[in-house]
Amino acid sequence: MAEDLGELLVPYMPTIRVPKSGDRVYKTECSFSYDSPESDGGLYVCMSTFLGFGREHVERHYRKTGQSVYMHLKRHIRLKATGASGGAFPKRINGRLFLELENNTDMNTEDYEYEDEAKLVIFPDHFEIPLPNIEELPALVTIACDAVLNSKSPYRKLDQESWEEELQVSKFANNLVQVDNGVRIPPSGWKCARCDLRENLWLNLTDGSIMCGRWFCSGNGGNGHALEHHKQMGYPLAVRLGSITPDGADVYSFDEEEAVVDLHLAKHLAHFGIDMLQMQRSESGVLDNEVKPRVNDWEVIQETGLKLKPVFGSGYTGIKNLGNSSYLTTVMQVIFSIPEFQRAYVGNLTRIFDYAPLDPTQDFSTQMAKLGHGLLSGLFSKPPMKSELIEQVMKEEHKPQLKGINTRMFKALMSKSHAEFSSNRQQDAEEFFLHFINLVERNSIGSENPSDVFRFLVEERTQCCQSRKVRYSQRVDYIMQMPVPMEAATNKEELIAYDLKRREAESAKRPLPEVVRAKIPFSACLQGFSEPENVPDFWSSALQAKSAGVKTSRFASFPEYLVVQIKKFTFGLDWVPKKLDVSIDMPDLLDINHLRATGLKSGEEELPDIAPPIIIPDDPKDWSRNHFMESPDIDESSVMQLAEMGFPLEACRKAVYYTGSMGAEVAFNWIIAHMEEPEPLTIPGYGTVTSTSSHVQNALLNQPPEEIVALICSMGFPRNYAIQALRATNNNLERALEWMFSHPESEEEAANVSGYVDTENNGIITDGEQEGPRIKDGNGRYELFGIISHAGTSTMSGHYVCHIKKEGRWVIYNDHKVSASERPPKDLGYLYFYHRISC
């Protein structure tokens, strides 16, 4: 038999690889769907690319690549046998349990047992070889199979520039024994039980002892008494006091010798009287819930205490929280409630999957289609059926209810090369929304761009206060940012009284009074948006000198979907980020037609179009002689941010220089206002900042090298299509060819383009009269359909929840929980989503 298997595998040996260091093995999730080893059909892992595929998608990969050998992984979940008393027998150690899978189901793991099954499957005949099979399989195949089964999560940070590694679930969390010794942890006044330290304290989750940390702590130092306690008692898990929030806490496993995730942390903390939902992170070692009333923004936003009815079906699928990932999940829930995004990705799902590149985990459109289908199909949002549960019990086979879909693969792609979003820290939902829009723009070249529905033009009117002359300019934007004028609060007397009571309570260590929020009229916020604002360091071209200037913003176009951000987040006097605790009466119907831009009015005189002089500091060196040795001070990070938006690199450098390296946003506005200036960047004393190499020069102008364009054209592709593909892939020939095959619809569009690549217009493809991004205009009347709310004190911590109006009712999406909303917090939102309504 061994010889037969060896001979059978001989033709496939060149395609069977052993995973190397740096290879990512996707053995827990399909690249195209949310199938896993726990799914009915299990998961197939390609033994060459190590990509995972569900039963519905593995045939596609076989047809596309010809790869025939896959490892099939299946996890069986069964109810434990019950003892004479009716309770379950203690969980046995299963020698057949080898898959590191997260518990993504609504069930008590102590009542079930698992058994993992692995086998090699050879396509197209589906010939199966059970594993392990050391004696009969060739040594190379055995080594490859062992390496795949023992591989770590593909989402561990492999990038050497990343400082964080993704935390793993502790093996002790599910069956942690807690001593019933009556210990209750006070909200403050902690001290190490063995010394006098009051900082860097760790709570042992078994017996409730509080000890100081050492090398595994956050850096504050300690005497290592927590570790000594573990060596004496063997209790495995501890949590750092002061780090507990509703999203989690810093948990350390002594036996595993690393920071870990405790999936049952809330239950473990409740054993010692700590309510995790009321906790706020405090580095000073004091839990912020010690003096907070029960009614706070956490409870209001999450509708705590109300009997919320779960809803199921298409569009009502939750998303599992990966730990501080609610900023991403709430934005994506709103995005896929918009028809344009549904059509672009879910409507084109078959075409996107068929033309996906060889590694679909790194393809934006594929992962968007996968997420959209997961949220809208209803496959992962089914109510439990009593008849099904009875049948499962009779068969001793359990089909658990999923806790929503897991977006780990999607998050890894969205946060790729982004220092903040790739971390495990909480982020700003508004920043992620703009980051997401940027990714949509970059990946929609030559195809439908659903982000067009958010884009609008802002007209900025800048006036010199001395000469009274004006300048009108336009810029593209995606969010209407509304200021919060605290001085407009309608309950000032209540706020003053509350502040006095709060200070007295804090000094006396008494519970705080019930929170009183500033009530800000929406009309005051709208007025603050429309009022003129001072322009710092304004240089008047009429006076040829610095002067006082004011700027007013108006809508040059109204988008199909209007996103309104309430600018709640600010900085305190100590530069620590904080959030304004305000209540704003946001309207269900919004009319902003009065904010329509008018352009240059009769009697207004424009400021001369003269650029401010460049001031060069005094320097004894001869700059003209040394300009090849010293480079101008240009913020390259801002340059790259602009380049990622699709602007030519030379234009980006020019914009950053002329705006004094004040950031990508300021430089972006400069580009929009100077689209007609093709001259390269010239700096006095430096000459023209350019390169003599034709390849480098083409790169600066974003113009693909002519020899590569000619090579692609020689294959029979249109010239415009070749240039479009090279621009989308940074002039990489191999990636450009792959892009062309995965975007066949773009070839027809390129063939119909009547424009041309005009270097006099910074290399922008012009088509007839339309230039630049496409703008959809219409009336300025809108209706509210989505709210993203933030609970917490700053963007660095807290939790996001979204409410979406569907089928005439409001629905709350709180991670994996989706329910009919009883009281949507319309006055406490952070981002509001409106859609246009007809007049």
Side-chain angles (χ1 to χ4, degrees):
M1 182 65 181
E3 295 181 359
D4 293 341
L5 286 180
E7 293 177 1
L8 177 67
L9 289 171
V10 165
Y12 309 109
M13 292 295 287
T15 65
I16 299 176
R17 294 176 51 228
V18 178
K20 300 183 304 233
S21 176
D23 283 337
R24 299 193 175 202
V25 181
Y26 295 90
K27 63 178 183 179
T28 60
E29 181 183 353
C30 173
S31 300
F32 293 100
S33 70
Y34 292 96
D35 287 335
S36 72
E38 294 182 353
S39 303
D40 290 341
L43 190 73
Y44 294 83
V45 179
C46 174
M47 293 301 292
S48 178
T49 63
F50 310 118
L51 295 170
F53 303 97
R55 187 164 55 188
E56 295 182 2
H57 301 283
V58 64
E59 292 281 357
R60 178 191 293 109
H61 186 258
Y62 163 71
R63 292 193 303 268
K64 180 179 288 189
T65 65
Q67 172 62 30
S68 300
V69 183
Y70 297 82
M71 180 182 290
H72 181 255
L73 303 173
K74 180 73 175 81
R75 168 165 287 185
H76 302 277
I77 306 175
R78 298 183 179 90
L79 279 168
K80 288 182 181 177
T82 56
S85 62
F89 285 129
K91 184 175 181 179
R92 63 187 176 90
I93 302 299
N94 194 330
R96 298 281 295 168
L97 189 65
F98 48 76
L99 292 177
E100 295 182 6
L101 301 182
E102 294 183 17
N103 178 27
N104 194 37
T105 55
D106 276 328
M107 63 180 184
N108 185 350
T109 55
E110 297 180 0
D111 295 333
Y112 299 90
E113 61 184 8
Y114 311 104
E115 184 175 353
D116 294 339
E117 177 187 5
K119 55 191 174 185
L120 285 181
V121 180
I122 302 177
F123 281 67
D125 299 327
H126 292 265
F127 184 83
E128 298 180 354
I129 305 173
L131 297 175
N133 202 337
I134 300 176
E135 297 179 355
E136 300 179 356
L137 291 177
L140 176 65
V141 178
T142 300
I143 294 173
C145 292
D146 288 343
V148 169
L149 290 174
N150 295 319
S151 61
K152 297 296 183 181
S153 167
Y155 307 110
R156 285 178 178 265
K157 302 291 175 58
L158 300 179
D159 186 357
Q160 295 300 315
E161 295 181 0
S162 176
W163 289 88
E164 292 189 43
E165 183 177 273
E166 189 159 343
L167 301 182
Q168 301 300 302
V169 176
S170 173
K171 63 183 179 181
F172 299 103
N174 285 341
N175 302 304
L176 182 70
V177 177
Q178 294 187 281
V179 180
D180 190 10
N181 53 11
V183 172
R184 291 294 181 267
I185 305 302
S188 61
W190 312 311
K191 186 175 74 71
C192 177
R194 298 188 182 180
C195 67
D196 294 329
L197 284 181
R198 296 180 178 272
E199 294 181 348
N200 185 29
L201 298 177
W202 293 75
L203 169 69
N204 191 289
L205 291 175
T206 296
D207 64 356
S209 61
I210 298 177
M211 307 279 183
C212 59
R214 199 178 61 176
W215 62 270
F216 54 85
C217 67
S218 62
N220 295 327
N223 296 320
H225 289 142
L227 181 59
E228 290 181 9
H229 184 67
H230 161 70
K231 290 178 179 179
Q232 294 172 359
M233 307 301 297
Y235 301 152
L237 299 180
V239 60
R240 184 166 66 86
L241 293 174
S243 72
I244 305 170
T245 73
D247 292 322
D250 297 340
V251 180
Y252 187 83
S253 172
F254 297 102
D255 289 331
E256 294 164 291
E257 296 186 346
E258 64 178 348
V260 295
V261 173
D262 180 359
L263 295 177
H264 307 284
L265 182 60
K267 182 180 74 171
H268 294 156
L269 291 173
H271 181 82
F272 300 110
I274 300 177
D275 185 356
M276 185 172 169
L277 288 179
Q278 301 304 315
M279 307 301 283
Q280 299 288 315
R281 180 180 295 269
S282 172
E283 296 300 331
S284 63
V286 178
L287 298 186
D288 287 356
N289 74 327
E290 61 177 291
V291 286
K292 286 185 181 291
R294 290 286 298 174
V295 180
N296 54 35
D297 59 348
W298 288 90
E299 295 181 337
V300 175
I301 288 171
Q302 298 184 92
E303 302 189 50
T304 304
L306 300 178
K307 295 182 179 180
L308 302 181
K309 182 180 179 181
V311 291
F312 303 93
S314 174
Y316 300 110
T317 302
I319 301 177
K320 183 180 179 183
N321 194 322
L322 304 177
N324 287 334
S325 64
S326 56
Y327 68 91
L328 178 147
T329 59
T330 50
V331 170
M332 298 315 301
Q333 289 283 12
V334 175
I335 287 295
F336 275 110
S337 69
I338 296 174
E340 284 77 2
F341 282 89
Q342 296 175 359
R343 288 195 298 267
Y345 296 105
V346 183
N348 293 317
L349 181 138
T350 302
R351 179 185 61 79
I352 291 174
F353 283 179
D354 286 342
Y355 289 101
L358 295 180
D359 186 359
T361 67
Q362 301 302 307
D363 183 64
F364 180 83
S365 296
T366 300
Q367 294 308 310
M368 281 291 291
K370 171 184 171 179
L371 177 61
H373 181 262
L375 294 176
L376 300 176
S377 64
L379 295 175
F380 305 96
S381 179
K382 296 180 179 179
M385 303 292 290
K386 291 184 179 180
S387 58
E388 290 182 4
L389 293 175
I390 295 174
E391 183 180 354
Q392 292 166 16
V393 172
M394 294 297 293
K395 293 181 178 180
E396 294 186 352
E397 183 76 18
H398 181 70
K399 295 181 180 179
Q401 296 296 316
L402 292 174
K403 289 182 181 177
I405 58 178
N406 188 322
T407 58
R408 198 172 293 275
M409 185 179 293
F410 181 82
K411 183 177 185 293
L413 180 61
M414 294 298 103
S415 60
K416 186 178 179 181
S417 302
H418 194 290
E420 286 301 317
F421 296 137
S422 60
S423 72
N424 290 322
R425 296 184 293 272
Q426 187 61 277
Q427 304 296 329
D428 189 338
E430 180 260 351
E431 291 182 3
F432 175 76
F433 172 78
L434 292 177
H435 174 69
F436 169 76
I437 292 297
N438 184 23
L439 291 176
V440 175
E441 299 276 0
R442 288 164 51 188
N443 290 275
S444 298
I445 300 176
S447 59
E448 180 184 1
N449 185 354
S451 67
D452 288 345
V453 299
F454 294 121
R455 190 185 303 112
F456 59 93
L457 285 177
V458 176
E459 178 189 88
E460 291 187 340
R461 176 185 181 273
T462 307
Q463 183 175 34
C464 172
C465 296
Q466 189 169 343
S467 67
R468 312 304 296 174
K469 294 182 179 181
V470 298
R471 175 182 293 116
Y472 284 86
S473 61
Q474 290 187 343
R475 60 175 173 84
V476 174
D477 211 335
Y478 296 89
I479 292 182
M480 180 184 185
Q481 295 184 319
M482 302 280 282
V484 180
M486 296 297 292
E487 67 278 3
T490 59
N491 58 339
K492 293 180 181 179
E493 294 183 0
E494 295 179 38
L495 291 173
I496 294 173
Y498 165 73
D499 187 62
L500 180 61
K501 292 179 181 179
R502 179 181 60 82
R503 293 175 183 274
E504 292 176 352
E506 286 178 347
S507 61
K509 298 295 182 181
R510 296 197 309 267
L512 291 181
E514 184 174 343
V515 174
V516 176
R517 293 186 180 88
K519 297 180 180 179
I520 311 295
F522 174 75
S523 57
C525 299
L526 196 60
Q527 182 179 352
F529 172 84
S530 60
E531 286 182 345
E533 58 179 302
N534 293 325
V535 180
D537 296 324
F538 175 70
W539 188 85
S540 172
S541 58
L543 305 175
Q544 295 285 297
K546 284 190 176 183
S547 172
V550 293
K551 180 178 67 175
T552 307
S553 298
R554 292 291 185 270
F555 285 85
S557 69
F558 290 121
E560 188 72 22
Y561 289 83
L562 178 67
V563 183
V564 178
Q565 176 197 16
I566 304 299
K567 299 178 69 174
K568 292 184 174 183
F569 296 106
T570 182
F571 288 91
L573 297 177
D574 53 0
W575 288 95
V576 174
K578 67 175 184 178
K579 188 176 78 171
L580 302 176
D581 192 7
V582 296
S583 171
I584 300 176
D585 57 335
M586 295 296 292
D588 287 306
L589 298 178
L590 175 62
D591 190 339
I592 55 173
N593 278 301
H594 64 284
L595 296 179
R596 169 77 74 172
T598 59
L600 188 67
K601 301 181 182 68
S602 176
E604 290 183 331
E605 186 177 353
E606 290 190 90
L607 284 164
D609 191 11
I610 302 174
I614 298 175
I615 301 175
I616 303 175
D618 295 333
D619 196 318
K621 298 180 181 178
D622 182 1
W623 282 33
S624 62
R625 177 169 53 86
N626 294 298
H627 69 273
F628 291 108
M629 298 174 59
E630 298 179 3
S631 59
D633 184 15
I634 296 178
D635 183 6
E636 293 297 337
S637 62
S638 297
V639 173
M640 295 313 299
Q641 288 184 52
L642 293 170
E644 288 179 354
M645 299 179 189
F647 295 109
L649 188 57
E650 178 62 15
C652 300
R653 291 177 61 82
K654 188 176 180 181
V656 172
Y657 175 78
Y658 279 119
T659 55
S661 294
M662 295 178 64
E665 182 178 356
V666 178
F668 174 83
N669 297 334
W670 191 95
I671 288 182
I672 297 301
H674 298 79
M675 295 292 282
E676 303 297 328
E677 297 180 13
E679 294 81 13
L681 174 58
T682 302
I683 302 175
Y686 290 99
T688 300
V689 181
T690 183
S691 302
T692 57
S693 166
S694 61
H695 281 279
V696 176
Q697 202 165 26
N698 284 332
L700 289 175
L701 294 172
N702 205 22
Q703 176 71 11
E706 187 59 36
E707 55 268 33
I708 301 181
V709 176
L711 180 60
I712 297 179
C713 291
S714 67
M715 302 178 188
F717 293 104
R719 177 178 174 80
N720 284 344
Y721 189 36
I723 293 175
Q724 186 178 2
L726 288 168
R727 286 168 178 265
T729 57
N730 199 23
N731 298 336
N732 183 294
L733 176 60
E734 183 179 353
R735 289 174 55 206
L737 292 173
E738 185 175 299
W739 186 92
M740 296 168 83
F741 285 112
S742 62
H743 296 76
E745 75 287 349
S746 299
E747 182 174 5
E748 298 179 4
E749 296 178 9
N752 296 328
V753 171
S754 59
Y756 57 96
V757 179
D758 183 3
T759 56
E760 293 298 311
N761 283 312
N762 291 329
I764 296 174
I765 298 179
T766 60
D767 185 7
E769 295 181 357
Q770 183 171 340
E771 296 182 6
R774 184 168 54 178
I775 303 296
K776 294 183 177 181
D777 197 6
N779 76 82
R781 296 187 70 246
Y782 295 93
E783 182 178 4
L784 181 68
F785 78 95
I787 309 168
I788 293 180
S789 308
H790 176 269
T793 56
S794 79
T795 55
M796 300 169 62
S797 63
H799 180 63
Y800 286 97
V801 175
C802 74
H803 290 72
I804 304 175
K805 193 174 185 179
K806 290 187 176 182
E807 300 176 325
R809 63 176 176 178
W810 282 96
V811 179
I812 177 174
Y813 293 79
N814 188 1
D815 294 334
H816 64 277
K817 296 174 289 187
V818 182
S819 309
S821 173
E822 295 290 333
R823 298 174 190 169
K826 297 180 183 179
D827 60 329
L828 299 180
Y830 176 47
L831 296 177
Y832 293 85
F833 294 80
Y834 288 83
H835 66 85
R836 191 189 346 256
I837 56 178
S838 58
C839 293

